Amino acid sequence: MEVVVAAVAWALSAVCGSFPPSNTLGLCGGKPIESLLRGKLSAGAQIYLSGSDGYAKATNRWSVLDAPTTNIVVVPSVANDVSEIVKVANSMNVPYLAVNGGHGAITTVGKMKGGIEIWMDSLNSVKLSKDGKTATFGGGILSKAVTDSLWTLGKQTVTGGCECTSLLGPGLGGGHGFMQGRHGLIADQFVSMDIVLASGKLQTFNASSDLWWALQGAGHNFGIVTAVTSKVYDIEHPDWAYVSFLYTGDKVEALYRSINKYLLQDGAQPVHIINYSFFFNDPSLDPHKPVIMFYILQEGASAVDTVYTQPFIDIGPLMTNAAGGSYKDLPEWTGNANDSPPCQKSGLVNIRFPIDLQVYNVQAQRKVYDLFASATQETPALNGSLFLFEGYSTQGVKKVPHRSTAYPNRPANLLVAPLLTYPPGGKKLDRTAAKLGESLRTILYEASGLKEKYTYVNYAFGDETKQNWYGYESWRQDRLKALKHKYDPLGKFSYYAPIA
Ligand SMILES: Cc1cc2nc3c(=O)[nH]c(=O)nc-3n(C[C@H](O)[C@H](O)[C@H](O)COP(=O)(O)OP(=O)(O)OC[C@H]3O[C@@H](n4cnc5c(N)ncnc54)[C@H](O)[C@@H]3O)c2cc1C
């Protein structure tokens, strides 16, 4: 069968006037591969060619810098479709990339040129197991669908904090979220996965496989997950509350000193507390400098306890807000709901320069605030940028043995990243933004006293080292390389933070 496919591809490449066949897709606008696929896909699968509404929707991305280029979108409706797409693409030597929520911003994905986007959107099923301890999700399910569908069953699991990203995009690289203090990362919930490998073979993996370790932290490198079974939990604490404080920039030292002292507590932040802050520009609040939004989220409460809020009231915020509600309100409160600005795909460049920290260095916080302030004033195109400081509770993450998964930095307390946002178009602006992002994280890294610089793979800019993404221990790197060699020797899945 492979031979027939290759022969047809060859013939079609001749019709299209392209040689070698890897060019066929680009020159013929996806038509030859479309013809090959039509006969192989299930009735529910969709194919979108450039110019169609479906294509526009499927290829719309959160960040447009170094986005992958795609000539055809295929939307599988069953797992076997993914297998067929991979086999056909391999036979034509055409690259392919799984796309889910479309929020993967790492610039390495831009190395996919003229390939097939496998849009996972239709694989969005949810099935609770009989014993209620796990659920099986389609490989294209988005966070909100996970939370909402489980909630109606009295269950929940760890997802990213944002409604619009997928379960697997974050999860394959670890996956931070509001429930991680209780249960660990998204990846820590995985129990088994159905994966289409680079050969096109669909195979089920679980903890008994050598690949399992790598799927929990470096999982974007090995295949396309068509379904994942994850641990789910009874909803123990449906109630959550938040309080937010808006501060002017003169409060930087007081704010981050207090977060260290009253919340982080040397890595002992209470499991029911999350703190989250960001710098941003709003001339109506301060015409010259960024302001700081700071949230405390508390699980199992209808209002955040004063023991946590009083130190931050004492700092003297410009404004405060507070509400009680349920777990499902968290994305909206923190600006991560489907209709919140951070979820939108507005044709902008969105690049982050992450760094894991243990504690806030107060002097360094001042330095990065001042640099963020001056740079976003000097370059008005960067004015919509944010500087994110995420302080989830970490008990669940730390209790998983550090060596047991490819996720490389379980001891971290803080996930920090400037998010530089600007309209695309100028190489000079790209360079200015990248230089700023790098300078900001370098200030924090140098002040941290940390020997190793970890840059969370799902927030990474794209120019970091493999050690920054996957760990400094040589055994980690060796193990990843060996698995890559075994499962994806030709590097078919080497666009998102590639191991090799
Ligand atoms: C607004 C926003 C909020 C975020 N919040 C969080 C958060 O709370 N926690 C967190 O950890 N991260 C968060 N992130 C980062 C997020 O983890 C990454 O951006 C991630 O890549 C998004 O996944 P996606 O499916 O939306 O993007 P996509 O671009 O669709 O996917 C990213 C990559 O994942 C791989 N992939 C996706 N689906 C599959 C699959 N089924 N099988 C195999 N590979 C697959 C592909 O390599 C793809 O290039 C956030 C990002 C944004 C933009």
Side-chain angles (χ1 to χ4, degrees):
M1 182 52 97
E2 288 281 300
V3 176
V4 176
V5 169
V8 176
W10 196 262
L12 286 164
S13 78
V15 172
C16 291
S18 68
F19 185 86
S22 56
N23 289 335
T24 311
L25 192 58
L27 292 179
C28 286
K31 282 285 179 199
I33 205 149
E34 182 196 2
S35 322
L36 276 179
L37 284 167
R38 286 267 178 224
K40 295 177 175 292
L41 300 180
S42 67
Q46 301 285 324
I47 296 181
Y48 299 139
L49 296 180
S50 176
S52 67
D53 290 349
Y55 180 92
K57 189 169 176 214
T59 55
N60 195 12
R61 296 183 69 82
W62 181 67
S63 179
V64 300
L65 184 72
D66 289 333
T69 62
T70 304
N71 283 332
I72 184 168
V73 173
V74 189
V75 192
S77 79
V78 294
N80 188 56
D81 289 338
V82 178
S83 202
E84 293 298 337
I85 299 163
V86 165
K87 285 182 199 160
V88 168
N90 286 345
S91 72
M92 296 184 80
N93 197 22
V94 168
Y96 42 88
L97 180 70
V99 172
N100 222 316
H103 289 81
I106 190 164
T107 54
T108 55
V109 290
K111 297 212 168 89
M112 190 188 77
K113 307 259 184 243
I116 302 174
E117 173 180 321
I118 304 176
W119 194 28
M120 304 300 286
D121 195 52
S122 297
L123 297 179
N124 56 8
S125 56
V126 180
K127 190 161 184 263
L128 187 66
S129 65
K130 278 206 181 105
D131 67 6
K133 291 186 176 158
T134 60
T136 300
F137 303 100
I141 197 156
L142 301 183
S143 285
K144 184 169 167 51
V146 172
T147 300
D148 287 357
S149 54
L150 290 181
W151 200 261
T152 59
L153 303 167
K155 302 281 177 183
Q156 63 183 156
T157 190
V158 185
T159 67
C162 183
E163 288 181 345
C164 51
T165 53
S166 66
L167 183 65
L168 282 158
L172 292 169
H176 293 281
F178 300 124
M179 295 302 294
Q180 69 170 49
R182 294 275 171 208
H183 306 299
L185 301 165
I186 298 175
D188 297 331
Q189 315 316 312
F190 296 161
V191 174
S192 80
M193 289 188 205
D194 294 344
I195 301 183
V196 172
L197 297 170
S199 61
K201 184 177 171 202
L202 177 62
Q203 198 173 319
T204 300
F205 290 87
N206 58 29
S208 67
S209 160
D210 58 350
L211 188 57
W212 191 249
W213 173 85
L215 295 173
Q216 296 174 292
H220 307 95
N221 273 275
F222 294 99
I224 301 178
V225 182
T226 58
V228 57
T229 299
S230 289
K231 294 177 203 159
V232 300
Y233 306 91
D234 293 336
I235 301 168
E236 272 187 75
H237 307 283
D239 295 345
W240 279 74
Y242 88 94
V243 56
S244 68
F245 303 90
L246 187 81
Y247 297 105
T248 46
D250 56 319
K251 310 291 194 212
V252 164
E253 287 85 351
L255 173 61
Y256 290 96
R257 196 175 290 125
S258 294
I259 296 176
N260 282 343
K261 182 169 172 189
Y262 297 106
L263 301 179
L264 284 182
Q265 302 175 39
D266 286 329
Q269 177 165 290
V271 68
H272 57 273
I273 291 292
I274 291 168
N275 81 84
Y276 177 65
S277 60
F278 53 91
F279 305 157
F280 70 112
N281 287 289
D282 183 337
S284 71
L285 298 167
D286 184 330
H288 306 296
K289 296 263 168 121
V291 288
I292 311 165
M293 180 64 94
F294 169 58
Y295 291 89
I296 305 175
L297 309 170
Q298 184 173 345
E299 182 197 54
S302 54
V304 179
D305 288 351
T306 50
V307 65
Y308 302 120
T309 58
Q310 195 57 49
F312 299 95
I313 295 169
D314 293 345
I315 294 171
L318 266 184
M319 280 180 222
T320 76
N321 258 312
S326 90
Y327 174 76
K328 293 212 304 169
D329 295 317
L330 292 174
E332 196 188 321
W333 290 341
T334 53
N336 286 305
N338 274 337
D339 55 2
S340 305
C343 266
Q344 307 315 308
K345 295 174 180 163
S346 318
L348 296 172
V349 173
N350 280 300
I351 49 176
R352 280 162 302 201
F353 295 82
I355 175 145
D356 287 356
L357 295 176
Q358 296 307 114
V359 63
Y360 289 116
N361 177 307
V362 172
Q363 290 76 31
Q365 289 298 109
R366 163 57 58 198
K367 277 195 196 163
V368 290
Y369 173 87
D370 287 346
L371 177 55
F372 183 79
S374 60
T376 52
Q377 286 280 325
E378 277 160 27
T379 309
L382 296 176
N383 224 279
S385 302
L386 303 175
F387 201 139
L388 304 167
F389 302 93
E390 299 179 56
Y392 297 105
S393 49
T394 55
Q395 288 81 346
V397 182
K398 290 176 183 173
K399 98 177 164 219
V400 175
H402 185 55
R403 294 170 67 96
S404 68
T405 68
Y407 182 79
N409 193 23
R410 290 184 181 272
N413 294 326
L414 292 165
L415 173 58
V416 169
L419 162 56
L420 303 177
T421 300
Y422 57 94
K427 286 271 166 241
K428 187 162 170 247
L429 186 53
D430 290 340
R431 279 195 298 274
T432 304
K435 193 164 161 229
L436 172 61
E438 198 51 65
S439 304
L440 290 166
R441 83 166 147 193
T442 300
I443 292 171
L444 295 178
Y445 172 61
E446 286 179 351
S448 71
L450 294 168
K451 243 176 49 206
E452 294 164 350
K453 179 158 75 172
Y454 286 99
T455 65
Y456 178 42
V457 70
N458 285 322
Y459 281 16
F461 173 56
D463 66 348
E464 298 87 352
T465 66
K466 293 180 182 60
Q467 282 72 19
N468 296 148
W469 293 334
Y470 297 120
Y472 283 74
E473 301 98 320
S474 50
W475 65 265
R476 283 186 185 272
Q477 295 289 334
D478 293 346
R479 192 166 174 182
L480 284 175
K481 267 190 244 150
L483 288 165
K484 184 75 175 169
H485 185 69
K486 176 172 173 187
Y487 286 95
D488 183 21
L490 300 177
K492 299 287 182 185
F493 300 106
S494 291
Y495 296 112
Y496 192 95
I499 291 162

